[in-house]
Each structure stands twice: as structure tokens, then as C-alpha cells.
Amino acid sequence: MRIILLGAPGAGKGTQAQFLMAKFGIPQISTGDMLRAAIKAGTELGKQAKQVMDAGQLVSDELIIGLVKERIAQDDCKSGFLLDGFPRTIPQADAMKENGVSVDSVIEFDVADEVIVDRMAGRRVHSGSGRVYHLVYNPPKVAGKDDETGEDLSIRPDDEESTVRKRLGIYHEQTKPLVDYYQAEATAGNCKYITMDGTQAVEAVSAQLAEQLA
Ligand code: AP5
Ligand code: ZN
């Protein structure tokens, strides 16, 4: 199964990716996590991406398309994958099509901007795995620690409110057009398009996804 998770920063893509990965046994391809891993490892890619990400802007299409192409070609993606944070521009979606990469389902998470600003203020992440928590809405079992490894959780550098607002602006400008793009693909019979009310509780969203994808 090949799935695209579409939605604003903080809409819950990473959170539901954890659920869907476990349910369908497919890998999560999070371009944000891949870039953060490159920054941590100090690679050339990481050096190029860091400033852009910290400023809440998008990394170049060329760089991201190359990264995803390479990742999708790996063996564990043969039975499907979950794209989280890609595509996020029309050229990225076109590149997928041109490379003959079809998808089964596109899931859009609909959440208002003000809800997102509140969520980001309480987000904590485990940088090693990309697992995501929230101080109130999705707390870890032990405060400040990852459930699986017990390692420390951290705050993402781009979660500062002014950066979040900048990321939301870029989402509306450059990524929102993908809603029409994939709705048209669905109308043409090329994929299924599912819109989720992403403001419901985490478990409620997961339960609905399971139903829709059954
Ligand atoms: P990326 O890491 O992809 O960030 P994003 O798209 O901005 O999305 P987030 O990870 O912030 O949010 P999410 O939807 O995963 O929400 P989450 O589940 O964590 O990208 C980061 C940067 O990398 C970009 O700005 C860009 O620079 C670069 N980049 C990445 N991909 C790129 C691309 N394709 N092209 C160009 N540049 C690219 O949830 C958020 C919080 O809410 C958490 O605390 C969570 O616990 C909580 N929460 C989740 N669901 C619920 C719920 N239902 N109720 C209450 N709280 C909830
Ligand atoms: Zn995410």
C-alpha cells in the first residue's frame, strides 16, 4: 500500500504515521526526519538544509526529489510506503508522476491554523526515531522520556511560534494546491482521496483511518 499524508505543519502526519506503519507494516518516509538526521550526522545535505529549515522555509525541490527517489528504491519500500511531508509542492508531485510512482491513497488532515500554533507549543520529539509527543494531548509514559528507549525528548528548533506561523504561510501558498491536484487524480480514478478532521483526538483519527483504509 502506498499512502501520502497531506496536511499543514502540526496537522498530525507524523503522529498518524506511527499508527499506520504499525498497522500496515510499511515504512514511513518522512522527508523532515531524513533532513533532521542529516543535520545531526553533519553531512553536506544537513549543512545545506539546516538554515533553510530553522527559518521555516522549504528545501529545494531538486534536493528533496533526489532524496525521496533514492529512498523509494530501497528494498523495504517494495511492498509500499507512507510518504510524510512529501510531496509538498506541485513540482514534487509532478516528479513522482514522471517517475511512474503511483499512490493508492492520499490522506488530508484538516486542522485550523490556531489549533496548530497551540499544538506546536507543546510538541516534544525523540530525535533518534522521529516519535512525536505532546505535553497534554499525547504525553509520554514518563515525563520528558521516549516510551521505547527512555531517551530524552527535545523541542524542534522550528517550533518557535514565529517560525510556525511562517511555515503555515508557506503551507497555504505552496502545499495547499496539492489538495486540488490529488482530488483531480482521485476523480480520474488514479487514487483514493480521504479528508480527515484532524482536530479530533489522536485515537479517534487513527480509528477513522483504519476504517477508511480497510
Ligand atoms: P516536516 O518535519 O515534514 O514538518 P511539517 O510538515 O512542518 O510537519 P510537522 O512534522 O511539523 O507536523 P506533523 O503533521 O507531522 O504533526 P505531528 O504529528 O508532529 O518538515 C520540516 C522542514 O523540513 C520543513 O519546514 C522544510 O524546511 C523541510 N522539508 C521537509 N519536507 C520537505 C519537502 N518535501 N520539500 C521541501 N522542504 C521539506 O503533531 C504535531 C503536534 O500535535 C505533536 O505534539 C502531536 O503530539 C500533536 N498532535 C498530533 N495529532 C493530534 C491530535 N489529533 N490532537 C491533539 N494533538 C495532536
Ligand atoms: Zn512530522
Side-chain angles (χ1 to χ4, degrees), residues 71-107:
R71 180 66 188 88
I72 282 179
Q74 287 171 9
D75 277 353
D76 63 333
C77 291
K78 289 222 159 69
S79 61
F81 47 77
L82 199 54
L83 286 170
D84 165 4
F86 179 94
R88 20 157 138 334
T89 62
I90 299 276
Q92 291 179 16
D94 283 341
M96 288 220 347
K97 241 190 190 173
E98 283 155 20
N99 283 288
V101 183
S102 60
V103 286
D104 302 301
S105 298
V106 177
I107 302 164

Side-chain angles (χ1 to χ4, degrees), residues 13-14 30 36 84 123 156:
K13 304 182 297 292
S30 160
R36 281 183 287 276
D84 165 4
R123 173 159 63 181
R156 261 174 54 175

Side-chain angles (χ1 to χ4, degrees), residues 125-156:
V125 294
H126 176 239
S127 64
S129 66
R131 272 186 289 278
V132 194
Y133 302 88
H134 189 281
L135 293 179
V136 179
Y137 309 127
N138 191 16
K141 291 184 185 122
V142 176
K145 305 284 180 194
D146 176 48
D147 286 354
E148 309 256 319
T149 63
E151 289 167 0
D152 286 344
L153 301 179
S154 57
I155 298 177
R156 261 174 54 175

Side-chain angles (χ1 to χ4, degrees), residues 18-31:
Q18 284 163 35
F19 166 75
L20 293 169
M21 264 198 304
K23 178 152 182 71
F24 294 109
I26 48 176
Q28 172 195 19
I29 303 179
S30 160
T31 40

Side-chain angles (χ1 to χ4, degrees):
M1 184 179 299
R2 293 171 168 190
I3 300 174
I4 291 177
L5 303 179
L6 192 60
K13 304 182 297 292
T15 301
Q16 296 303 329
Q18 284 163 35
F19 166 75
L20 293 169
M21 264 198 304
K23 178 152 182 71
F24 294 109
I26 48 176
Q28 172 195 19
I29 303 179
S30 160
T31 40
D33 284 352
M34 288 162 85
L35 293 170
R36 281 183 287 276
I39 291 174
K40 210 170 163 191
T43 65
E44 196 46 48
L45 167 68
K47 282 180 198 143
Q48 282 182 45
K50 182 166 174 32
Q51 267 192 331
V52 179
M53 288 175 78
D54 285 354
Q57 282 161 347
L58 294 186
V59 172
S60 78
D61 286 333
E62 194 190 357
L63 206 152
I64 288 285
I65 290 164
L67 197 67
V68 173
K69 239 169 138 178
E70 214 173 274
R71 180 66 188 88
I72 282 179
Q74 287 171 9
D75 277 353
D76 63 333
C77 291
K78 289 222 159 69
S79 61
F81 47 77
L82 199 54
L83 286 170
D84 165 4
F86 179 94
R88 20 157 138 334
T89 62
I90 299 276
Q92 291 179 16
D94 283 341
M96 288 220 347
K97 241 190 190 173
E98 283 155 20
N99 283 288
V101 183
S102 60
V103 286
D104 302 301
S105 298
V106 177
I107 302 164
E108 179 200 348
F109 296 95
D110 188 23
V111 182
D113 287 6
E114 287 315 308
V115 175
I116 282 169
V117 171
D118 171 57
R119 279 187 186 178
M120 299 305 227
R123 173 159 63 181
R124 297 294 181 272
V125 294
H126 176 239
S127 64
S129 66
R131 272 186 289 278
V132 194
Y133 302 88
H134 189 281
L135 293 179
V136 179
Y137 309 127
N138 191 16
K141 291 184 185 122
V142 176
K145 305 284 180 194
D146 176 48
D147 286 354
E148 309 256 319
T149 63
E151 289 167 0
D152 286 344
L153 301 179
S154 57
I155 298 177
R156 261 174 54 175
D158 56 349
D159 274 354
E160 203 251 320
E161 184 175 334
S162 64
T163 313
V164 170
R165 291 197 185 273
K166 204 178 294 163
R167 287 161 61 201
L168 284 168
I170 290 176
Y171 171 77
H172 289 294
E173 206 178 280
Q174 300 201 43
T175 309
K176 203 72 202 279
L178 291 179
V179 168
D180 285 346
Y181 184 103
Y182 283 111
Q183 280 179 349
E185 287 290 305
T187 306
N190 296 334
C191 64
K192 185 173 174 181
Y193 192 92
I194 302 167
T195 308
M196 299 292 306
D197 173 5
T199 55
Q200 304 170 94
V202 172
E203 296 74 21
V205 177
S206 301
Q208 273 190 18
L209 278 177
E211 222 172 83
Q212 294 270 1
L213 295 168

